[in-house]
Amino acid sequence: MNIGFLGLGNLGTPIAENLLQSTQQLYVYNRTATKAQPLADQGAVICASVAELASLSDVVFTLVSDDAALQAVTTGEAGIAANLKKDGVHVSLSTILPATATSLAQLHDEHGSHYIACAILGRPEAARAKKLNLLVSGNTDVLETIKPVLEQCGAANIWAFGPEVGAANVAKLCSNFLIVSAMESMAESIHLARQSGIDAEQLMHMLTQTLFASPVYSTYGNSLLKEAFLTRRFHLKTRPERRNSHQRTILNGKGSTALR
Amino acid sequence: MNIGFLGLGNLGTPIAENLLQSTQQLYVYNRTATKAQPLADQGAVICASVAELASLSDVVFTLVSDDAALQAVTTGEAGIAANLKKDGVHVSLSTILPATATSLAQLHDEHGSHYIACAILGRPEAARAKKLNLLVSGNTDVLETIKPVLEQCGAANIWAFGPEVGAANVAKLCSNFLIVSAMESMAESIHLARQSGIDAEQLMHMLTQTLFASPVYSTYGNSLLKEAFLTRRFHLKTRPERRNSHQRTILNGKGSTALR
């Protein structure tokens, strides 16, 4: 089975590297071609265009930044849907709206190929450690066929959300909402603790050993304690001045006062 | 060492029962005397007044509903501070403001006795299973002396937050803030999932096995999924119509809409 991978960013690269370890032939494409070179050095074949990548692959993974980028590489004469072979599978790993998944699945259907939504829970280091959680939705038979390839991406677990293709995207957005809510409340709590004169490190240590002993609280809590806001790579597209204002809000714990 | 226990509510009763298992003599007092009877049946001695309880005990635990209730039993001629023997210890288990702890510690100091803040993380079933987390603050020597008694309360862990007596109360309020924030975001996320047509039970199952594999998310998430809002006993003093309005907000997931 020939595999294609498009989108060699922070998370795409380690996933493509995992696939390369167990795939006869991995085709890669990236808008910025230099990002594909390290994979080519490990044996992947760089394609000159999206159309070439699609036409050579049985299964194409895409991991691009947003809905517009995914639509750009999928639609049109030079896109994945028009160039993927009959019964080929497009596995979209991006965090996008469910409506985008539904419309792209329809487009693939018209071309006799398949679209599978596969949202990723896990950071680049989890991909390298093969401890990703994959949330999938779409045609059940197709999912069954490509399951070994999904496992080769570096999945520790695959969570199936049913045949409605946007379901995995809903689950991913609900998960992200919970992550960001936890980050905001931790930032408030850390600031409240410090303003009230107690050791916030000690508080978070206790909480992440007890009530909140979970990866989200440990990982992001630790970054918040160190005020290492930029190391977590949880990017939002926003104007720089807005991002800075948001960072200031977290830093200053706006809204919380000391307990007296 | 004679132990006294005042406040035999949902959480106070199992803690007092734990103490009874390893204490020569347990004195108990409750405003509603009938609540003390089951403990008396197990061997505890019911006192007729707060003053009697304090005068007979080396260590007095109190677990009352709020700051005002704690002040009422601690201050005045008939209160704990005036009746506890010299070097006696008052261990306050209630969730109160740090400022209340500071003022009561000062009062005990004037009477030659000690006040220790000991906030509890854990529900009644955790008390029965002896899996409580105790957050303590106050005089370090006094804490060292009473540590065995704290363990006998049903503690799995004792987390010391230093000699500043209100520190444990700050830590407890920060913890409660994080618990309530998690409950609110889970309610929103569950509603968003349902409105968007995916299985919220499946979503929460996945999340509590992965990113949010922690007691708070499992326990309260499960109650939210079942809409069992009144079973958790996380009480707030509020007018009934306000509480109902708050429940409606959680139930309706006000603020979230479907993902399309």
Side-chain angles (χ1 to χ4, degrees):
Chain A
M1 197 183 273
N2 290 341
I3 311 291
F5 202 100
L6 183 159
L8 301 165
N10 291 325
L11 189 54
T13 297
I15 294 176
E17 285 173 346
N18 288 341
L19 285 167
L20 194 57
Q21 288 173 16
S22 44
T23 301
Q24 289 283 325
Q25 190 62 66
L26 182 71
Y27 297 103
V28 295
Y29 175 84
N30 200 69
R31 206 172 38 180
T32 314
T34 49
K35 285 196 179 174
Q37 197 52 53
L39 274 156
D41 295 343
Q42 296 168 59
V45 175
I46 301 182
C47 295
S49 67
V50 175
E52 189 190 356
L53 178 89
S55 64
L56 293 169
S57 306
D58 301 295
V59 179
V60 174
F61 288 88
T62 53
L63 182 38
V64 293
S65 58
D66 57 17
D67 298 62
L70 180 62
Q71 277 157 336
V73 298
T74 308
T75 64
E77 279 181 30
I80 295 167
N83 292 282
L84 198 57
K85 59 188 74 167
K86 189 170 155 23
D87 281 328
V89 185
H90 176 181
V91 182
S92 165
L93 306 171
S94 304
T95 299
I96 54 163
L97 283 174
T100 305
T102 305
S103 77
L104 295 180
Q106 172 67 24
L107 180 68
H108 274 280
D109 198 45
E110 289 162 11
H111 283 91
S113 56
H114 307 284
Y115 177 98
I116 293 292
C118 178
I120 302 169
L121 290 189
R123 299 163 42 69
E125 53 268 32
R128 281 187 283 273
K130 299 183 181 167
K131 288 187 177 172
L132 293 176
N133 281 284
L134 301 184
L135 319 184
V136 298
S137 53
N139 183 294
T140 313
D141 294 337
V142 175
L143 269 168
E144 197 54 39
T145 311
I146 64 162
K147 203 177 166 190
V149 188
L150 294 178
E151 283 163 356
Q152 289 160 12
C153 284
N157 299 294
I158 298 174
W159 306 87
F161 281 86
E164 188 66 50
V165 77
N169 303 110
V170 173
K172 167 73 177 179
L173 292 170
C174 288
S175 306
N176 275 6
F177 166 73
L178 277 181
I179 295 171
V180 174
S181 299
M183 286 164 68
E184 286 285 348
S185 6
M186 277 189 282
E188 287 288 340
S189 193
I190 288 168
H191 187 69
L192 183 58
R194 285 181 177 156
Q195 290 291 98
S196 305
I198 75 160
D199 183 337
E201 276 73 10
Q202 198 184 0
L203 172 70
M204 289 305 296
H205 172 72
M206 179 273 292
L207 287 171
T208 55
Q209 301 286 313
T210 56
L211 297 179
F212 294 94
S214 82
V216 162
Y217 281 80
S218 300
T219 308
Y220 293 107
N222 207 31
S223 296
L224 286 165
L225 284 170
K226 291 177 183 158
E227 298 185 357
F229 303 128
L230 296 179
T231 60
R232 286 289 130 204
R233 297 182 182 280
F234 207 121
H235 290 307
L236 272 184
K237 250 192 196 155
T238 169
R239 292 192 301 276
E241 66 273 27
R242 287 206 54 201
R243 195 176 59 198
N244 288 340
S245 138
H246 179 68
Q247 284 161 19
R248 272 200 304 277
T249 305
I250 291 187
L251 186 55
N252 296 336
K254 203 170 162 179
S256 64
T257 55
L259 289 165
R260 303 203 194 278
Chain B
M1 198 183 272
N2 290 341
I3 310 292
F5 202 100
L6 183 158
L8 300 167
N10 290 324
L11 189 55
T13 297
I15 294 177
E17 285 172 345
N18 288 341
L19 286 167
L20 193 57
Q21 287 172 16
S22 43
T23 302
Q24 289 281 325
Q25 191 62 65
L26 182 70
Y27 295 103
V28 294
Y29 176 83
N30 201 67
R31 205 175 35 180
T32 314
T34 51
K35 285 195 181 175
Q37 196 52 52
L39 274 156
D41 295 343
Q42 296 168 59
V45 174
I46 301 181
C47 295
S49 67
V50 174
E52 189 191 356
L53 179 90
S55 63
L56 292 170
S57 307
D58 299 295
V59 179
V60 174
F61 288 89
T62 54
L63 182 39
V64 292
S65 58
D66 58 19
D67 299 61
L70 181 62
Q71 279 159 334
V73 298
T74 310
T75 63
E77 278 183 30
I80 295 168
N83 292 282
L84 198 58
K85 59 189 75 170
K86 188 168 155 29
D87 279 327
V89 185
H90 176 183
V91 182
S92 165
L93 306 171
S94 305
T95 299
I96 53 160
L97 285 173
T100 305
T102 307
S103 77
L104 294 180
Q106 171 69 26
L107 179 68
H108 274 282
D109 197 47
E110 289 163 11
H111 283 90
S113 54
H114 307 285
Y115 177 98
I116 292 292
C118 176
I120 302 170
L121 290 188
R123 300 163 41 68
E125 53 267 32
R128 281 186 284 271
K130 298 183 182 169
K131 287 183 175 172
L132 294 174
N133 281 284
L134 302 184
L135 320 182
V136 298
S137 53
N139 182 295
T140 312
D141 295 336
V142 175
L143 269 170
E144 197 55 40
T145 310
I146 64 161
K147 201 177 169 191
V149 187
L150 293 177
E151 284 163 354
Q152 289 160 9
C153 285
N157 299 293
I158 298 173
W159 306 88
F161 281 85
E164 188 66 50
V165 77
N169 302 109
V170 172
K172 167 74 178 179
L173 292 169
C174 288
S175 306
N176 276 6
F177 166 73
L178 277 181
I179 295 172
V180 174
S181 299
M183 286 164 69
E184 287 284 349
S185 9
M186 278 190 281
E188 288 288 340
S189 192
I190 288 168
H191 187 70
L192 183 59
R194 285 183 178 156
Q195 289 291 97
S196 306
I198 75 161
D199 184 337
E201 276 74 12
Q202 200 184 1
L203 171 71
M204 290 304 297
H205 173 73
M206 179 275 291
L207 287 171
T208 54
Q209 300 286 313
T210 57
L211 296 178
F212 294 94
S214 81
V216 161
Y217 281 80
S218 301
T219 307
Y220 292 107
N222 208 31
S223 296
L224 287 166
L225 285 170
K226 292 179 182 157
E227 299 185 354
F229 302 129
L230 296 180
T231 62
R232 284 294 131 202
R233 298 183 181 277
F234 208 121
H235 291 306
L236 272 182
K237 252 193 195 154
T238 168
R239 291 192 301 276
E241 67 271 30
R242 288 204 55 200
R243 194 175 62 195
N244 288 342
S245 138
H246 179 65
Q247 282 161 21
R248 272 198 305 277
T249 306
I250 290 186
L251 186 55
N252 297 338
K254 205 170 164 179
S256 64
T257 54
L259 289 164
R260 304 204 190 277

